[in-house]
Amino acid sequence: MANTDNEQSANVNASGWRERLTRGVAIPALPLALNNDGSWSQQHQRALVRYYYDAGAGGLAVGVHSTQFEIREPKHGLYQPVLELAAATLDDWGADASFVRIAGICGGTAQAMSEVETANSLGYHAGLLSLAALKDADEGEMLTHCREVAAAMPVVGFYLQPAVGGRVLSYEFWRKFFEIEGVVAVKMAPFNRYQTWDVVRAVMDAGRDDVTLYTGNDDNIIADLLTPYCHQGATRRIAGGLLGQWAVWTEKAVGILDQIHAIGAGPIDPLWLQRNAQLTDANAVVFDAANGFAGCIPGIMEVLRRQGLVPSIRCLDEAEKLSLGQSEELDRVIAAYPWLVDDDFVAQHLDRWLA
């Protein structure tokens, strides 16, 4: 059975995870490790979790887009096994109780509540709530869905770009969404500055200083993290990133976030604007922006495969493959931007992670 209100309150306040989430951390979106024949490689799945932890990530999102939504299909039946393996690996690897564990929550209300029950039973702290399945619902129906989920588990809101299954949501939706007590954070990933600002303004207008802002805008990561959002005499900042892009080169991503936190309200070196453009260029290749993100997951997997962290770029949907020229473009950005690449760090620890 899903948590009661008292149990949820304890979940929000226990173990320090909420304080860590509020402080702002790097949260990679966990990819699914498959062998060439499509079977699940638990060895490499564990290696990925260990990699993210040792790279300094402050949390992990499991069962999200990068983990492949198809894990929920009965013919695969991997939603609970992947969440369970990730949680057990973190426990065995020595992750402390404040390491933020986020489970992807999808589907209509019945499916979402079932996934909440699974995530709660495995010790996940919050659910990243996808509304893609409700794309034909009106905003009132979507808010009712959000309230029901948030009554059972702390919720991280999710503004997903339309190009990969999301929809445009109004300022009014977000303003009402932030009235839901169980909302603890929001991942803004519309890949659109106007829509990102809608969310920031809505959370400020709602007076929710306790809701933490996370960027999911893989096309504007550094600029999002550097920007002070000022509105009606108040200022908010995006505290961290919950990103598919940070599923690769994670050790460097953690360093980027740490350096930006150190800047605070101080002057910004123009070098950061250069780095923002370079990271966006690299992300365009990894996510295959030139082809409508068709090769997004294979692009992530190819970076990890080259490092030895996964055995293949195979996806559950065999039609998902690298786009024509994407591999060559990866060669280009890896050579052009060595400051982004953590190959040496991975090579140093890979055998231990795979053991």
Side-chain angles (χ1 to χ4, degrees), residues 139 143 147 169-180 183 198-208 231:
E139 290 188 348
L143 286 164
R147 292 186 188 102
L169 295 164
S170 69
Y171 161 85
E172 289 76 17
F173 169 86
W174 289 109
R175 177 64 180 78
K176 292 176 182 176
F177 177 81
F178 291 124
E179 294 175 1
I180 300 172
V183 174
D198 280 346
V199 179
V200 177
R201 184 164 60 94
V203 77
M204 295 173 78
D205 288 345
R208 290 297 300 272
H231 174 58

Side-chain angles (χ1 to χ4, degrees), residues 12 37 350:
V12 169
D37 63 2
L350 183 61

Side-chain angles (χ1 to χ4, degrees), residues 23-34:
R23 186 166 66 247
V25 292
I27 303 178
L30 180 68
L32 182 68
L34 297 178

Side-chain angles (χ1 to χ4, degrees), residues 57-342:
L60 189 63
V62 186
V64 294
H65 176 250
S66 298
T67 324
Q68 302 181 40
F69 292 133
E70 292 87 353
I71 60 173
R72 296 163 169 83
E73 295 177 1
K75 65 181 178 180
H76 302 303
L78 286 173
Y79 179 76
Q80 179 165 339
V82 172
L83 264 67
E84 190 169 8
L85 181 145
T89 301
L90 287 169
D91 291 341
D92 293 344
W93 206 244
D96 64 50
S98 70
F99 187 87
V100 183
R101 304 183 186 200
I102 295 176
I105 306 297
C106 296
T109 303
Q111 177 182 333
M113 296 304 292
S114 175
E115 293 185 3
V116 164
E117 184 176 357
T118 297
N120 279 332
S121 72
L122 295 171
Y124 282 79
H125 299 130
L128 180 65
L129 183 57
S130 170
L131 300 175
L134 283 72
K135 62 182 179 180
D136 296 324
D138 64 41
E139 290 188 348
E141 293 170 328
M142 297 173 78
L143 286 164
T144 298
H145 172 81
C146 294
R147 292 186 188 102
E148 186 165 346
V149 174
M153 184 178 207
V155 160
V156 178
F158 186 14
Y159 199 168
L160 177 65
Q161 61 160 323
V164 290
R167 59 180 272 186
V168 175
L169 295 164
S170 69
Y171 161 85
E172 289 76 17
F173 169 86
W174 289 109
R175 177 64 180 78
K176 292 176 182 176
F177 177 81
F178 291 124
E179 294 175 1
I180 300 172
E181 184 177 358
V183 174
V184 296
V186 59
K187 169 181 173 170
M188 299 171 290
F191 285 37
N192 181 294
R193 307 288 78 74
Y194 302 119
Q195 292 159 7
T196 297
W197 179 237
D198 280 346
V199 179
V200 177
R201 184 164 60 94
V203 77
M204 295 173 78
D205 288 345
R208 290 297 300 272
D209 293 338
D210 60 331
V211 172
T212 308
L213 303 177
Y214 272 73
T215 184
N217 288 320
D218 302 80
D219 65 337
N220 199 53
I221 297 169
I222 290 174
D224 269 3
L225 293 167
L226 287 170
T227 300
Y229 291 86
C230 301
H231 174 58
Q232 295 186 344
T235 300
R236 290 293 299 270
R237 288 182 175 271
I238 296 173
L242 199 173
L243 295 154
Q245 174 63 41
W246 282 0
V248 302
W249 308 322
T250 309
E251 188 253 354
K252 297 295 187 182
V254 171
I256 289 168
L257 182 60
D258 287 346
Q259 291 174 66
I260 291 173
H261 281 171
I263 293 170
I268 298 171
D269 188 327
L271 175 63
W272 283 107
L273 301 179
Q274 173 184 309
R275 288 175 174 170
N276 186 62
Q278 291 176 341
L279 178 51
T280 299
D281 184 26
N283 173 262
V285 175
V286 175
F287 274 38
D288 195 27
N291 296 289
F293 306 98
C296 172
I297 293 176
I300 292 170
M301 303 309 296
E302 174 62 8
V303 174
L304 298 172
R305 185 199 64 79
R306 293 182 184 195
Q307 293 179 316
L309 282 161
V310 298
S312 78
I313 66 168
R314 173 71 181 266
C315 295
L316 293 174
D317 179 355
E318 293 186 63
E320 288 194 61
K321 298 179 179 180
L322 291 175
S323 292
L324 183 65
Q326 191 176 359
S327 180
E328 291 77 12
E329 278 289 276
L330 279 172
D331 294 339
R332 176 183 68 80
V333 296
I334 288 170
Y337 312 130
W339 65 274
L340 276 176
V341 178
D342 66 355

